[in-house]
Amino acid sequence: SSGINAEYGGEGSSREHAALEPRHLGGKAIIVRSFARIHETNLKKQGMLPLTFADPADYDKVQPGDKISILGLTNFAPGVPLTCKLTHTDGSTEEFPLNHTYNENQRGRN
């Protein structure tokens, strides 16, 4: 399960709860245009995969009801983008890159 947010993830005074809630709901990844640094760190600590759109305009490709797949996890490595595959309700698909900030030490934790 993935969550998509238009602008900025993790603002405000409830950053820890903002990281706990998606995990509690069975989430695995959060995709946003940008993160507050502390929120991104908190998501990692909760075992979530914080991702950003490589091109923020790709957010507009996401449609209600899309199935979201994250490709490239088998070869997950620092500095190597992942791929988001959207399967729209009409069966058509689109792919675009997603960035992450994991380093080698963090990569082994999740």
Side-chain angles (χ1 to χ4, degrees):
S1 168
S2 300
I4 304 243
N5 186 323
E7 287 299 326
Y8 192 66
E11 287 186 33
S13 61
S14 300
R15 288 190 185 110
E16 285 190 36
H17 287 282
L20 288 169
E21 189 66 21
R23 175 76 176 201
H24 176 73
L25 294 172
K28 305 287 186 213
I30 300 291
I31 306 167
V32 298
R33 289 184 177 154
S34 66
F35 281 106
R37 183 188 53 78
I38 191 74
H39 180 59
E40 182 180 18
T41 300
N42 287 341
L43 286 167
K44 288 177 181 180
K45 288 178 182 178
Q46 290 301 317
M48 298 291 295
L49 182 59
L51 300 167
T52 56
F53 293 95
D55 178 355
D58 286 336
Y59 170 80
D60 295 324
K61 296 177 181 177
V62 182
Q63 302 171 12
D66 281 353
K67 177 183 174 193
I68 302 167
S69 300
I70 299 172
L71 311 176
L73 294 171
T74 304
N75 299 317
F76 187 72
V80 179
L82 298 172
T83 300
C84 181
K85 179 180 178 183
L86 301 175
T87 303
H88 302 300
T89 56
D90 66 3
S92 64
T93 62
E94 293 187 72
E95 294 185 6
F96 50 84
L98 299 171
N99 294 327
H100 66 86
T101 61
Y102 279 82
N103 61 40
E104 195 58 43
N105 291 331
Q106 293 169 325
R107 185 179 74 100
R109 292 184 198 161
N110 292 328

